[in-house]
Amino acid sequence: MTKYQAHRLAIAPMMDWTDRHCRYFHRLLSRRTLLYTEMVTAPALVRGGAMHLLDYSPEEHPVALQLGGSDPAELAAAAKLGAAAGYDQIDLNCGCPSDRVQSGTFGAILMTEPDLVADCVKAMQDAVSCEVTVKCRIGVDDQDPEQVLPDFLSRVAAAGCRRFTVHARKAWLKGLSPKENRDIPPLDYDLALRMKTAFPELHISVNGGVATLDQAQAFLAAGFDGVMIGRAAYHQPWDILAEADTHIFGAKAAPFSTPDQAARAMLPYIETHLAAGGRLHQITRHMLGLFTGRPGARAWRRILSEGANRPGAGPELVEEALTHIRAAEPAG
């Protein structure tokens, strides 16, 4: 598999969700899908020395580091740290709409400053040998996406960026919360697809509202180079990730035939984490959706949610939750 094939399907960077434990779990389900870190701010790495934010397991490859920032020199320094840590690519966040991101002058607000984004990309590319990519919106606030998006792509591509993920929804930075920004502004997949026609030399993935692999396949068939899925993959990891290698990448077989097998495959990782002083909840919170839509799913979620935070909770709690899955399975 080439690095370009991995971009056919990616799991979106999601704050407080796609940490290293989540990514390890997701990688067990899919060997091929591209994974992303949560957004890591360049100041946290360069000024704060928060190198633990770069921790990951070798099994996570292919994995991308997403950076937030707007200072070219600082982003270049952060990119160097990420490349030295072994990340497969470095992504610049130009799409997050949160107030915290706006106050730091990065995220979606950068859609208003394409020349600054171009300078940031150029500085990052000069600092590292791995690929530098950009995740953006179609526009913000009162901008006209029909004009803003092609201009943004053109300017940033002129700096050397060849790979973009377009969240096909405008970000409203005034008056809407980050949660509302995920649903209220209308999606414009057609505009994002027209960008592929306008910039055939660019690799363009679409993001926003994709909930199934059937949707992802339809977008690929329509002409997108890749698809990025967010919340659906987190809440229904078996339905999305366990089927991805076969349906999206043409692999012969998925790593596991049942979600029960996937849960058991996490036990050694859980034991290692606990032995290092970690807590069960830090891992199992990412596994709550494993049995979504299947018998016993409610008991699985309840047992892990209620028990994983208790002192001394360990792999036996996962085993207990699995007994409820087996008990709920149809006879025969």
Side-chain angles (χ1 to χ4, degrees):
M1 183 184 70
T2 69
K3 65 179 181 178
Y4 300 106
Q5 286 177 306
H7 289 80
R8 284 176 59 82
L9 184 69
I11 303 305
M14 292 176 280
M15 292 298 291
D16 300 322
W17 287 5
T18 52
D19 64 17
R20 62 178 301 184
H21 305 308
C22 174
R23 297 191 306 268
Y24 186 92
F25 172 54
H26 284 178
R27 178 59 69 221
L28 276 185
L29 299 176
S30 170
R31 300 288 191 257
R32 309 294 185 98
T33 302
L34 178 64
L35 305 179
Y36 279 75
T37 67
E38 304 170 85
M39 183 188 66
V40 177
T41 68
L45 294 176
V46 178
R47 285 182 255 161
M51 300 302 293
H52 67 281
L53 296 175
L54 297 178
D55 291 344
Y56 69 98
S57 300
E59 293 86 353
E60 293 174 34
H61 292 291
V63 58
L65 168 66
Q66 188 183 68
L67 292 176
S70 59
D71 179 85
E74 195 163 56
L75 280 165
K80 285 184 71 172
L81 293 172
Y87 282 94
D88 297 295
Q89 74 177 52
I90 312 293
D91 185 75
L92 178 60
N93 184 321
C94 297
C96 183
S98 78
D99 293 338
R100 183 174 58 177
V101 169
Q102 291 180 56
S103 66
T105 319
F106 51 92
I109 193 68
L110 287 176
M111 294 298 300
T112 66
E113 299 189 59
D115 290 334
L116 175 58
V117 174
D119 289 343
C120 291
V121 165
K122 178 66 164 57
M124 294 164 72
Q125 287 180 325
D126 288 346
V128 301
S129 59
C130 62
E131 188 169 24
V132 175
T133 64
V134 169
K135 185 173 186 291
C136 66
R137 292 280 183 145
I138 60 174
V140 298
D141 295 335
D142 295 322
Q143 288 182 327
D144 179 1
E146 295 278 356
Q147 297 180 3
V148 167
L149 184 57
D151 181 64
F152 179 90
L153 295 178
S154 177
R155 291 172 188 260
V156 179
C161 185
R162 287 293 174 266
R163 195 179 300 275
F164 295 83
T165 299
V166 179
H167 186 147
R169 197 190 300 273
K170 182 188 282 191
W172 283 98
L173 305 180
K174 304 169 184 175
L176 289 185
S177 69
K179 183 176 185 298
E180 291 170 324
N181 261 287
R182 293 197 296 263
D183 300 306
I184 293 179
L187 286 156
D188 194 342
Y189 297 129
D190 289 341
L191 173 60
L193 187 56
R194 290 200 299 276
M195 295 304 97
K196 181 59 191 178
T197 302
F199 301 96
E201 74 283 5
L202 299 181
H203 184 291
I204 296 180
S205 295
V206 66
N207 172 230
V210 185
T212 68
L213 289 182
D214 286 343
Q215 277 184 284
Q217 288 175 310
F219 280 130
L220 292 169
F224 283 109
D225 297 299
V227 179
M228 178 179 279
I229 302 181
R231 286 170 291 160
Y234 188 87
H235 292 303
Q236 299 167 258
W238 183 260
D239 294 335
I240 302 294
L241 285 152
E243 300 293 331
D245 289 4
T246 302
H247 288 76
I248 302 297
F249 297 98
K252 292 182 180 179
F256 303 103
S257 59
T258 67
D260 185 294
Q261 292 176 353
R264 291 190 174 282
M266 284 296 292
L267 294 177
Y269 181 82
I270 288 172
E271 290 170 354
T272 299
H273 177 65
L274 296 178
R279 301 193 63 176
L280 181 64
H281 170 72
Q282 293 170 317
I283 297 175
T284 55
R285 71 188 185 95
H286 302 302
M287 300 169 61
L288 297 180
L290 181 57
F291 294 92
T292 295
R294 291 167 174 78
R298 181 175 297 180
W300 165 264
R301 290 193 303 269
R302 176 180 55 78
I303 291 168
L304 293 184
S305 297
E306 293 177 358
N309 257 324
R310 293 172 184 162
E316 68 282 350
L317 187 71
V318 178
E319 295 278 10
E320 178 188 345
L322 284 173
T323 64
H324 288 264
I325 294 294
R326 289 192 293 273
E329 290 174 349

